[in-house]
Coordinates of all heavy atoms in Angstrom, one line a residue:
M21 N -21.6 77.7 -51.6 CA -21.5 76.5 -50.8 C -22.0 75.3 -51.6 O -21.3 74.2 -51.5 CB -22.4 76.7 -49.6 CG -22.5 75.5 -48.8 SD -21.6 75.9 -47.3 CE -21.9 74.5 -46.4
F22 N -23.0 75.4 -52.4 CA -23.5 74.3 -53.2 C -22.5 73.9 -54.2 O -22.3 72.7 -54.5 CB -24.9 74.7 -53.8 CG -25.4 73.7 -54.7 CD1 -26.0 72.6 -54.2 CD2 -25.3 73.8 -56.1 CE1 -26.5 71.6 -55.0 CE2 -25.9 72.8 -56.9 CZ -26.5 71.7 -56.3
R23 N -21.8 74.8 -54.8 CA -20.8 74.5 -55.8 C -19.6 73.8 -55.2 O -19.1 72.8 -55.7 CB -20.2 75.8 -56.4 CG -19.3 75.6 -57.5 CD -19.0 76.9 -58.2 NE -18.1 76.6 -59.2 CZ -17.4 77.5 -59.9 NH1 -17.6 78.8 -59.8 NH2 -16.6 77.1 -60.9
R24 N -19.3 74.1 -54.0 CA -18.1 73.4 -53.2 C -18.5 72.0 -52.9 O -17.7 71.0 -53.1 CB -17.7 74.2 -52.0 CG -16.5 73.6 -51.2 CD -16.3 74.3 -50.1 NE -15.2 75.3 -50.3 CZ -14.7 76.1 -49.4 NH1 -15.2 76.2 -48.2 NH2 -13.6 76.8 -49.7
T25 N -19.8 71.7 -52.5 CA -20.3 70.3 -52.2 C -20.3 69.6 -53.5 O -19.9 68.4 -53.5 CB -21.6 70.4 -51.6 OG1 -21.6 71.3 -50.4 CG2 -22.1 69.1 -51.2
Y26 N -20.7 70.2 -54.6 CA -20.8 69.5 -55.9 C -19.4 69.1 -56.4 O -19.2 67.9 -56.8 CB -21.4 70.5 -56.9 CG -21.6 69.9 -58.2 CD1 -22.5 68.8 -58.5 CD2 -20.8 70.3 -59.3 CE1 -22.6 68.3 -59.7 CE2 -20.9 69.7 -60.6 CZ -21.9 68.7 -60.8 OH -22.0 68.2 -62.0
L27 N -18.4 70.0 -56.2 CA -17.1 69.7 -56.6 C -16.5 68.5 -55.7 O -15.8 67.7 -56.2 CB -16.2 70.9 -56.6 CG -16.4 71.9 -57.8 CD1 -15.6 73.2 -57.6 CD2 -16.2 71.3 -59.1
L28 N -16.8 68.7 -54.4 CA -16.2 67.5 -53.6 C -16.8 66.2 -53.9 O -16.1 65.2 -53.9 CB -16.5 68.0 -52.1 CG -16.0 67.1 -51.0 CD1 -14.5 67.0 -51.1 CD2 -16.5 67.5 -49.7
L29 N -18.1 66.1 -54.2 CA -18.8 64.9 -54.5 C -18.2 64.4 -55.9 O -18.0 63.2 -56.0 CB -20.3 65.2 -54.6 CG -21.1 63.9 -55.0 CD1 -21.1 62.9 -53.9 CD2 -22.6 64.3 -55.2
L30 N -18.0 65.4 -56.8 CA -17.4 64.9 -58.1 C -16.0 64.3 -57.9 O -15.6 63.4 -58.5 CB -17.4 66.1 -59.0 CG -17.1 65.8 -60.5 CD1 -18.1 64.8 -61.1 CD2 -17.0 67.1 -61.3
A31 N -15.2 65.0 -57.0 CA -13.9 64.5 -56.7 C -13.8 63.1 -56.1 O -13.1 62.3 -56.4 CB -13.1 65.5 -55.9
V32 N -14.8 62.9 -55.2 CA -14.9 61.6 -54.5 C -15.3 60.4 -55.5 O -14.7 59.4 -55.5 CB -15.9 61.7 -53.4 CG1 -16.2 60.3 -52.9 CG2 -15.3 62.5 -52.2
I33 N -16.2 60.8 -56.4 CA -16.6 59.8 -57.5 C -15.4 59.6 -58.4 O -15.1 58.4 -58.7 CB -17.8 60.4 -58.2 CG1 -19.0 60.3 -57.3 CG2 -18.1 59.5 -59.4 CD1 -20.3 61.0 -57.9
A34 N -14.7 60.6 -58.8 CA -13.5 60.4 -59.8 C -12.5 59.6 -59.0 O -11.8 58.7 -59.6 CB -13.0 61.7 -60.1
I35 N -12.2 59.9 -57.8 CA -11.2 59.0 -57.0 C -11.7 57.6 -56.9 O -10.9 56.6 -57.0 CB -10.8 59.7 -55.6 CG1 -10.1 61.0 -55.8 CG2 -10.0 58.7 -54.7 CD1 -10.0 61.8 -54.6
G36 N -12.9 57.3 -56.7 CA -13.5 56.0 -56.5 C -13.3 55.2 -57.9 O -12.9 54.1 -57.9
V37 N -13.6 55.9 -59.0 CA -13.5 55.3 -60.2 C -12.0 55.0 -60.6 O -11.7 53.9 -61.1 CB -14.0 56.2 -61.4 CG1 -13.7 55.7 -62.8 CG2 -15.6 56.2 -61.2
L38 N -11.0 55.9 -60.3 CA -9.6 55.6 -60.5 C -9.2 54.4 -59.6 O -8.4 53.6 -60.0 CB -8.8 56.9 -60.1 CG -8.8 58.0 -61.2 CD1 -8.1 59.2 -60.7 CD2 -8.2 57.4 -62.4
V39 N -9.6 54.4 -58.3 CA -9.2 53.3 -57.5 C -9.7 51.9 -57.9 O -9.0 50.9 -57.9 CB -9.8 53.6 -56.0 CG1 -9.6 52.4 -55.2 CG2 -9.0 54.7 -55.3
Y40 N -10.9 52.0 -58.5 CA -11.5 50.7 -59.1 C -10.8 50.4 -60.4 O -10.4 49.1 -60.5 CB -13.0 50.9 -59.3 CG -13.6 49.6 -59.8 CD1 -13.9 48.6 -58.8 CD2 -14.0 49.6 -61.1 CE1 -14.6 47.5 -59.4 CE2 -14.6 48.3 -61.6 CZ -14.9 47.4 -60.8 OH -15.5 46.3 -61.1
F41 N -10.5 51.2 -61.3 CA -10.0 50.9 -62.6 C -8.5 50.9 -62.7 O -7.9 50.3 -63.7 CB -10.6 51.8 -63.7 CG -12.0 51.4 -64.0 CD1 -13.1 52.3 -63.6 CD2 -12.4 50.1 -64.7 CE1 -14.4 51.9 -63.8 CE2 -13.7 49.8 -64.9 CZ -14.8 50.7 -64.5
L42 N -7.8 51.6 -62.0 CA -6.4 51.9 -62.1 C -5.6 50.6 -62.0 O -4.7 50.4 -62.8 CB -5.9 53.0 -61.1 CG -4.4 53.4 -61.3 CD1 -4.3 54.1 -62.7 CD2 -4.0 54.4 -60.1
P43 N -5.9 49.7 -61.0 CA -5.0 48.5 -61.0 C -5.2 47.6 -62.3 O -4.3 47.0 -62.7 CB -5.7 47.7 -59.8 CG -6.2 48.8 -58.9 CD -6.7 49.8 -59.9
R44 N -6.4 47.6 -62.8 CA -6.6 46.8 -64.0 C -5.9 47.5 -65.2 O -5.3 46.8 -66.0 CB -8.0 46.8 -64.4 CG -8.8 45.7 -63.6 CD -10.1 45.4 -64.1 NE -10.2 44.3 -65.0 CZ -11.2 43.9 -65.5 NH1 -12.4 44.5 -65.3 NH2 -11.2 42.7 -66.2
L45 N -5.7 48.8 -65.3 CA -5.0 49.4 -66.3 C -3.5 49.3 -66.2 O -2.9 49.1 -67.2 CB -5.4 51.0 -66.3 CG -6.8 51.4 -66.7 CD1 -7.1 52.9 -66.6 CD2 -7.0 50.9 -68.2
I46 N -3.0 49.3 -65.0 CA -1.6 49.1 -64.8 C -1.2 47.6 -65.0 O -0.1 47.4 -65.7 CB -1.3 49.5 -63.3 CG1 -1.3 51.1 -63.3 CG2 0.2 49.2 -63.1 CD1 -1.2 51.6 -61.8
S47 N -1.9 46.6 -64.4 CA -1.5 45.3 -64.5 C -1.9 44.6 -65.8 O -1.3 43.5 -66.1 CB -2.1 44.5 -63.3 OG -3.5 44.4 -63.5
G48 N -2.8 45.1 -66.6 CA -3.1 44.4 -67.9 C -4.3 43.5 -67.7 O -4.8 43.4 -66.6
P49 N -4.6 42.8 -68.8 CA -5.9 42.0 -68.8 C -5.6 40.6 -67.9 O -4.5 40.2 -67.8 CB -6.2 41.7 -70.2 CG -4.8 41.8 -70.8 CD -4.1 42.8 -70.1
F50 N -6.7 40.1 -67.4 CA -6.6 38.8 -66.7 C -6.5 37.7 -67.8 O -7.2 37.7 -68.8 CB -7.8 38.5 -65.8 CG -7.9 39.4 -64.7 CD1 -8.8 40.5 -64.6 CD2 -7.0 39.4 -63.6 CE1 -8.9 41.3 -63.5 CE2 -7.0 40.2 -62.5 CZ -8.0 41.2 -62.5
V51 N -5.6 36.7 -67.6 CA -5.4 35.6 -68.5 C -5.5 34.2 -67.6 O -5.1 34.3 -66.5 CB -4.1 35.7 -69.3 CG1 -4.1 36.8 -70.3 CG2 -2.9 35.7 -68.4
S52 N -6.0 33.3 -68.3 CA -6.1 32.0 -67.6 C -4.8 31.3 -67.6 O -4.0 31.5 -68.7 CB -7.2 31.0 -68.2 OG -6.8 30.8 -69.5
V53 N -4.3 30.6 -66.6 CA -3.1 29.9 -66.5 C -3.3 28.4 -66.5 O -4.1 27.9 -65.8 CB -2.3 30.4 -65.3 CG1 -1.0 29.7 -65.1 CG2 -2.1 31.9 -65.3
E54 N -2.6 27.6 -67.4 CA -2.6 26.2 -67.4 C -1.2 25.7 -66.8 O -0.1 26.2 -67.1 CB -2.7 25.7 -68.8 CG -4.1 26.1 -69.4 CD -5.2 25.3 -68.8 OE1 -5.0 24.2 -68.4 OE2 -6.3 25.9 -68.8
I55 N -1.3 24.6 -66.0 CA -0.1 24.0 -65.5 C 0.4 23.0 -66.5 O -0.3 22.1 -67.0 CB -0.3 23.3 -64.1 CG1 -0.8 24.4 -63.1 CG2 0.8 22.6 -63.6 CD1 -1.3 23.8 -61.8
L56 N 1.7 23.0 -66.9 CA 2.2 22.2 -67.9 C 2.6 20.8 -67.2 O 3.1 20.8 -66.2 CB 3.5 22.7 -68.5 CG 3.3 24.0 -69.3 CD1 4.6 24.4 -69.8 CD2 2.4 23.8 -70.4
Q57 N 2.2 19.7 -68.0 CA 2.5 18.3 -67.6 C 3.2 17.6 -68.8 O 2.7 17.8 -69.9 CB 1.3 17.6 -67.1 CG 0.7 18.3 -65.9 CD -0.6 17.5 -65.5 OE1 -1.1 16.7 -66.2 NE2 -1.2 17.9 -64.4
A58 N 4.1 16.8 -68.5 CA 4.8 16.0 -69.5 C 3.8 14.9 -69.9 O 3.3 14.1 -69.0 CB 6.1 15.4 -69.1
R59 N 3.4 14.7 -71.2 CA 2.5 13.6 -71.6 C 3.0 13.0 -72.9 O 3.7 13.7 -73.7 CB 1.1 14.1 -71.8 CG 0.5 14.6 -70.5 CD -0.9 15.0 -70.8 NE -1.6 15.4 -69.6 CZ -2.8 15.9 -69.6 NH1 -3.6 16.0 -70.6 NH2 -3.3 16.4 -68.4
P60 N 2.7 11.7 -73.2 CA 3.1 11.2 -74.5 C 2.4 11.9 -75.7 O 1.2 12.3 -75.5 CB 2.7 9.7 -74.4 CG 1.7 9.6 -73.3 CD 2.0 10.7 -72.3
F61 N 3.1 12.1 -76.8 CA 2.6 12.8 -77.9 C 2.2 11.7 -79.0 O 3.1 11.0 -79.4 CB 3.5 13.9 -78.4 CG 3.1 14.6 -79.6 CD1 2.1 15.6 -79.5 CD2 3.6 14.3 -80.7 CE1 1.7 16.2 -80.5 CE2 3.2 15.0 -81.9 CZ 2.2 16.0 -81.9
S62 N 1.1 11.8 -79.5 CA 0.8 10.9 -80.7 C 0.1 11.8 -81.7 O -0.8 12.7 -81.4 CB -0.1 9.7 -80.3 OG -1.3 10.3 -79.7
Q63 N 0.3 11.5 -82.9 CA -0.3 12.3 -84.0 C -0.8 11.2 -85.1 O 0.1 10.3 -85.4 CB 0.7 13.3 -84.5 CG 0.2 14.1 -85.7 CD 1.1 15.1 -86.2 OE1 2.2 15.2 -85.8 NE2 0.7 16.0 -87.0
T64 N -1.9 11.4 -85.6 CA -2.4 10.5 -86.7 C -2.7 11.3 -87.9 O -3.3 12.4 -87.8 CB -3.7 9.8 -86.2 OG1 -3.4 9.1 -85.0 CG2 -4.2 8.8 -87.2
I65 N -2.3 10.8 -89.1 CA -2.5 11.6 -90.3 C -3.3 10.6 -91.2 O -2.9 9.5 -91.4 CB -1.2 12.0 -91.0 CG1 -0.5 13.0 -90.1 CG2 -1.6 12.6 -92.3 CD1 0.8 13.4 -90.7
V66 N -4.5 11.0 -91.7 CA -5.2 10.3 -92.6 C -5.3 10.9 -93.9 O -5.6 12.2 -93.9 CB -6.7 10.0 -92.1 CG1 -7.6 9.2 -93.0 CG2 -6.7 9.3 -90.7
A67 N -4.9 10.3 -94.9 CA -4.8 10.9 -96.3 C -5.2 9.9 -97.3 O -5.2 8.7 -97.2 CB -3.4 11.4 -96.6
S68 N -5.8 10.4 -98.5 CA -6.1 9.6 -99.5 C -5.6 10.3 -100.8 O -5.5 11.5 -100.8 CB -7.6 9.4 -99.6 OG -8.2 10.5 -99.9
G69 N -5.3 9.5 -101.8 CA -4.8 10.2 -103.0 C -4.8 9.1 -104.1 O -5.3 8.0 -104.1
R70 N -4.2 9.6 -105.3 CA -4.1 8.8 -106.4 C -2.8 9.0 -107.1 O -2.2 10.1 -107.1 CB -5.2 9.4 -107.4 CG -5.5 8.5 -108.5 CD -6.7 9.0 -109.3 NE -6.3 9.2 -110.7 CZ -7.0 9.6 -111.6 NH1 -8.2 10.2 -111.3 NH2 -6.6 9.7 -112.8
V71 N -2.1 7.9 -107.5 CA -0.8 7.9 -108.1 C -1.0 7.9 -109.6 O -1.7 7.0 -110.2 CB 0.0 6.7 -107.6 CG1 1.3 6.7 -108.4 CG2 0.2 6.7 -106.1
E72 N -0.3 8.9 -110.2 CA -0.5 8.9 -111.7 C 1.0 8.9 -112.3 O 1.9 9.5 -111.7 CB -1.2 10.2 -112.2 CG -2.7 10.2 -111.8 CD -3.3 11.4 -112.4 OE1 -2.7 12.1 -113.3 OE2 -4.5 11.6 -112.0
N73 N 1.1 8.2 -113.4 CA 2.4 8.2 -114.1 C 2.4 9.3 -115.0 O 1.5 9.6 -115.9 CB 2.5 6.8 -114.8 CG 3.9 6.6 -115.5 OD1 4.8 7.5 -115.2 ND2 4.0 5.5 -116.0
P74 N 3.5 10.2 -115.0 CA 3.5 11.3 -115.9 C 3.8 10.9 -117.4 O 3.6 11.7 -118.2 CB 4.7 12.1 -115.3 CG 5.6 11.2 -114.6 CD 4.6 10.1 -114.1
H75 N 4.3 9.7 -117.6 CA 4.6 9.3 -119.0 C 3.9 7.9 -119.3 O 3.8 7.1 -118.3 CB 6.1 9.1 -119.1 CG 6.9 10.3 -118.8 ND1 6.9 11.4 -119.6 CD2 7.7 10.6 -117.8 CE1 7.7 12.4 -119.1 NE2 8.2 11.8 -118.0
R76 N 3.5 7.7 -120.4 CA 2.9 6.5 -120.8 C 3.9 5.6 -121.6 O 4.6 6.2 -122.6 CB 1.7 6.7 -121.7 CG 1.0 5.4 -122.0 CD -0.2 5.7 -122.9 NE -0.7 4.4 -123.4 CZ -1.9 4.1 -123.3 NH1 -2.9 4.9 -122.9 NH2 -2.3 2.9 -123.8
V77 N 4.0 4.4 -121.2 CA 5.0 3.5 -121.9 C 4.3 2.3 -122.4 O 3.6 1.6 -121.7 CB 6.1 3.1 -120.8 CG1 7.1 2.2 -121.5 CG2 6.8 4.2 -120.2
D78 N 4.5 2.1 -123.7 CA 3.9 0.8 -124.3 C 5.0 -0.1 -124.5 O 6.1 0.1 -125.1 CB 3.3 1.1 -125.7 CG 2.1 2.1 -125.5 OD1 1.4 1.9 -124.5 OD2 1.8 2.8 -126.4
V79 N 4.8 -1.4 -124.1 CA 5.9 -2.4 -124.1 C 5.3 -3.4 -125.0 O 4.1 -4.0 -124.9 CB 6.1 -3.1 -122.7 CG1 7.1 -4.2 -122.8 CG2 6.7 -2.0 -121.8
G80 N 6.0 -3.8 -126.1 CA 5.6 -4.8 -127.0 C 6.8 -5.6 -127.5 O 8.0 -5.1 -127.4
V81 N 6.5 -6.7 -128.0 CA 7.6 -7.6 -128.5 C 7.1 -8.1 -129.9 O 6.0 -8.6 -130.2 CB 7.8 -8.8 -127.6 CG1 8.9 -9.8 -128.2 CG2 8.2 -8.3 -126.2
Q82 N 8.1 -8.2 -130.9 CA 7.8 -8.8 -132.2 C 8.8 -9.9 -132.2 O 10.0 -9.9 -132.1 CB 8.1 -7.8 -133.3 CG 7.1 -6.7 -133.4 CD 7.4 -5.9 -134.7 OE1 8.4 -6.0 -135.3 NE2 6.4 -5.1 -135.1
I83 N 8.2 -11.1 -132.5 CA 9.0 -12.3 -132.7 C 8.8 -12.7 -134.1 O 7.6 -12.9 -134.6 CB 8.5 -13.4 -131.7 CG1 8.6 -13.0 -130.3 CG2 9.2 -14.7 -132.0 CD1 8.2 -13.9 -129.3
T84 N 9.8 -13.0 -134.8 CA 9.8 -13.5 -136.1 C 10.0 -15.0 -136.0 O 10.9 -15.5 -135.4 CB 10.9 -12.9 -137.0 OG1 10.8 -11.5 -136.9 CG2 10.8 -13.4 -138.5
G85 N 9.1 -15.8 -136.6 CA 9.3 -17.2 -136.6 C 8.6 -17.9 -137.8 O 8.1 -17.2 -138.7
R86 N 8.6 -19.2 -137.8 CA 8.0 -19.9 -138.9 C 7.0 -21.0 -138.3 O 7.4 -21.7 -137.5 CB 9.1 -20.7 -139.7 CG 8.7 -21.4 -140.9 CD 9.9 -22.0 -141.5 NE 9.6 -21.9 -143.0 CZ 10.5 -22.2 -143.8 NH1 11.7 -22.5 -143.5 NH2 10.2 -22.2 -145.1
V87 N 5.8 -21.0 -138.8 CA 4.8 -22.0 -138.4 C 5.1 -23.3 -139.0 O 5.3 -23.4 -140.2 CB 3.4 -21.5 -138.8 CG1 2.4 -22.6 -138.4 CG2 3.1 -20.2 -138.2
Q88 N 5.3 -24.3 -138.2 CA 5.7 -25.7 -138.6 C 4.4 -26.5 -138.8 O 4.4 -27.4 -139.8 CB 6.6 -26.3 -137.6 CG 8.0 -25.7 -137.6 CD 8.8 -26.6 -136.5 OE1 8.3 -27.2 -135.7 NE2 10.1 -26.4 -136.7
N89 N 3.5 -26.5 -137.9 CA 2.3 -27.4 -138.0 C 1.1 -26.7 -137.4 O 1.1 -26.1 -136.4 CB 2.7 -28.6 -137.2 CG 1.6 -29.7 -137.2 OD1 0.7 -29.5 -138.0 ND2 1.8 -30.8 -136.5
V90 N 0.0 -26.7 -138.0 CA -1.3 -26.3 -137.6 C -2.2 -27.4 -137.3 O -2.4 -28.3 -138.1 CB -1.9 -25.3 -138.7 CG1 -3.3 -24.8 -138.2 CG2 -1.0 -24.2 -139.0
K91 N -2.7 -27.6 -136.1 CA -3.5 -28.7 -135.7 C -5.0 -28.6 -135.8 O -5.7 -29.5 -135.6 CB -3.3 -29.0 -134.1 CG -1.9 -29.5 -133.9 CD -1.7 -29.9 -132.4 CE -0.4 -30.5 -132.2 NZ -0.4 -31.1 -130.8
V92 N -5.4 -27.4 -136.1 CA -6.9 -27.2 -136.3 C -7.2 -26.6 -137.7 O -6.2 -26.0 -138.3 CB -7.5 -26.2 -135.2 CG1 -7.4 -26.9 -133.9 CG2 -6.8 -24.9 -135.2
R93 N -8.4 -26.7 -138.1 CA -8.8 -26.1 -139.4 C -9.7 -24.9 -139.1 O -10.3 -24.8 -138.0 CB -9.5 -27.0 -140.2 CG -8.5 -28.1 -140.9 CD -9.3 -29.0 -141.8 NE -9.6 -30.1 -141.0 CZ -10.6 -31.1 -141.2 NH1 -11.2 -30.9 -142.4 NH2 -10.8 -32.1 -140.5
E94 N -10.0 -24.1 -140.0 CA -10.8 -22.9 -139.9 C -12.2 -23.3 -139.5 O -12.8 -24.2 -140.2 CB -10.9 -22.1 -141.2 CG -11.6 -20.7 -141.0 CD -11.5 -19.9 -142.2 OE1 -10.6 -20.2 -143.1 OE2 -12.2 -19.0 -142.3
G95 N -12.7 -22.8 -138.4 CA -14.1 -23.1 -137.9 C -14.1 -24.2 -136.9 O -15.2 -24.4 -136.3
D96 N -13.0 -24.9 -136.7 CA -13.0 -25.9 -135.6 C -13.1 -25.2 -134.2 O -12.5 -24.2 -134.0 CB -11.7 -26.7 -135.6 CG -11.7 -27.7 -136.8 OD1 -12.7 -28.0 -137.5 OD2 -10.5 -28.2 -137.1
P97 N -13.8 -25.8 -133.2 CA -13.9 -25.3 -131.9 C -12.5 -25.5 -131.1 O -11.9 -26.6 -131.3 CB -15.0 -26.1 -131.2 CG -15.2 -27.3 -132.0 CD -14.7 -27.0 -133.4
V98 N -12.1 -24.5 -130.4 CA -10.8 -24.6 -129.6 C -11.1 -24.3 -128.2 O -11.8 -23.2 -127.9 CB -9.8 -23.7 -130.3 CG1 -8.5 -23.7 -129.5 CG2 -9.5 -24.0 -131.7
L99 N -10.7 -25.1 -127.3 CA -10.9 -24.8 -125.8 C -9.6 -23.9 -125.3 O -8.6 -24.0 -125.9 CB -10.9 -26.2 -125.1 CG -12.1 -27.1 -125.4 CD1 -11.9 -28.4 -124.8 CD2 -13.3 -26.5 -125.0
P100 N -10.0 -23.2 -124.3 CA -8.9 -22.4 -123.7 C -7.7 -23.3 -123.3 O -7.8 -24.3 -122.6 CB -9.5 -21.7 -122.5 CG -10.9 -21.7 -122.7 CD -11.1 -23.0 -123.6
G101 N -6.5 -22.8 -123.6 CA -5.2 -23.5 -123.2 C -4.8 -24.6 -124.2 O -3.8 -25.2 -124.0
T102 N -5.6 -24.8 -125.2 CA -5.3 -25.8 -126.2 C -4.2 -25.2 -127.3 O -4.3 -24.1 -127.7 CB -6.5 -26.2 -127.1 OG1 -7.5 -26.7 -126.2 CG2 -6.2 -27.3 -128.2
V103 N -3.1 -26.0 -127.4 CA -2.1 -25.6 -128.4 C -2.6 -25.9 -129.8 O -2.9 -27.0 -130.2 CB -0.8 -26.3 -128.1 CG1 0.2 -25.9 -129.1 CG2 -0.3 -26.0 -126.7
S104 N -2.8 -24.8 -130.7 CA -3.3 -25.1 -132.0 C -2.3 -25.0 -133.1 O -2.6 -25.4 -134.2 CB -4.4 -24.0 -132.2 OG -3.9 -22.7 -132.1
F105 N -1.0 -24.6 -132.8 CA 0.0 -24.6 -133.8 C 1.3 -24.6 -133.1 O 1.5 -24.3 -131.9 CB -0.2 -23.4 -134.8 CG 0.1 -22.1 -134.1 CD1 1.2 -21.5 -133.9 CD2 -1.1 -21.4 -133.6 CE1 1.4 -20.3 -133.3 CE2 -1.0 -20.1 -133.0 CZ 0.2 -19.6 -132.9
F106 N 2.3 -25.0 -133.9 CA 3.8 -25.0 -133.5 C 4.5 -24.0 -134.3 O 4.3 -23.9 -135.6 CB 4.4 -26.4 -133.5 CG 3.8 -27.4 -132.5 CD1 2.9 -28.4 -133.0 CD2 4.1 -27.3 -131.2 CE1 2.4 -29.3 -132.1 CE2 3.6 -28.1 -130.3 CZ 2.7 -29.2 -130.7
Y107 N 5.4 -23.3 -133.7 CA 6.3 -22.5 -134.6 C 7.7 -22.6 -134.1 O 8.0 -22.9 -132.9 CB 5.7 -21.0 -134.6 CG 5.8 -20.4 -133.2 CD1 6.9 -19.6 -132.9 CD2 4.7 -20.4 -132.4 CE1 6.9 -19.0 -131.6 CE2 4.7 -19.8 -131.1 CZ 5.9 -19.1 -130.8 OH 5.8 -18.5 -129.6
T108 N 8.6 -22.1 -134.9 CA 10.0 -22.0 -134.5 C 10.5 -20.6 -134.7 O 10.0 -19.8 -135.6 CB 10.9 -23.0 -135.4 OG1 10.7 -22.6 -136.8 CG2 10.6 -24.4 -135.1
I109 N 11.3 -20.2 -133.7 CA 11.8 -18.8 -133.8 C 13.1 -18.8 -134.6 O 14.0 -19.6 -134.4 CB 12.1 -18.2 -132.4 CG1 10.8 -18.2 -131.6 CG2 12.7 -16.9 -132.4 CD1 10.9 -17.9 -130.2
T110 N 13.1 -17.9 -135.6 CA 14.3 -17.8 -136.5 C 15.1 -16.6 -136.2 O 14.6 -15.7 -135.6 CB 14.0 -17.8 -137.9 OG1 13.0 -16.7 -138.2 CG2 13.3 -19.1 -138.4

């Protein structure tokens, strides 16, 4: 008799556990749900960088000419922007 009561109690506990956990096993995990709403979309990108030239270019000019007149002598003071000689391009 004790064995039959023990098996009956064990069966009731097993059925209770199945009733509690079976719906979760069948339906899967609970997930949160968000309601979608149309809203304006804006995106901002902030970046910094450096521009480098892959090639180096030297620009220079050679002018051949003839000095016609020199207005200063060696050692004379010359102010910025003062024309100190005249030349002609040949």
Side-chain angles (χ1 to χ4, degrees):
M21 176 112 180
F22 180 72
R23 187 173 177 188
R24 185 180 260 183
T25 306
Y26 179 71
L27 287 176
L28 184 63
L29 182 63
L30 188 62
V32 169
I33 292 173
I35 290 172
V37 169
L38 281 176
V39 166
Y40 182 76
F41 286 110
L42 191 63
R44 280 189 100 173
L45 292 174
I46 292 173
S47 65
F50 292 109
V51 294
S52 63
V53 177
E54 295 289 331
I55 298 173
L56 296 179
Q57 296 177 355
R59 294 185 181 177
F61 178 74
S62 65
Q63 182 177 9
T64 303
I65 298 174
V66 178
S68 63
R70 195 171 127 184
V71 177
E72 291 186 11
N73 189 1
H75 304 288
R76 183 183 171 129
V77 178
D78 292 327
V79 177
V81 177
Q82 287 186 348
I83 299 175
T84 305
R86 184 177 215 172
V87 176
Q88 291 180 341
N89 187 2
V90 178
K91 293 186 170 187
V92 293
R93 285 183 267 161
E94 188 175 345
D96 287 347
V98 179
L99 298 173
T102 304
V103 178
S104 58
F105 62 88
F106 292 107
Y107 64 91
T108 57
I109 299 174
T110 57

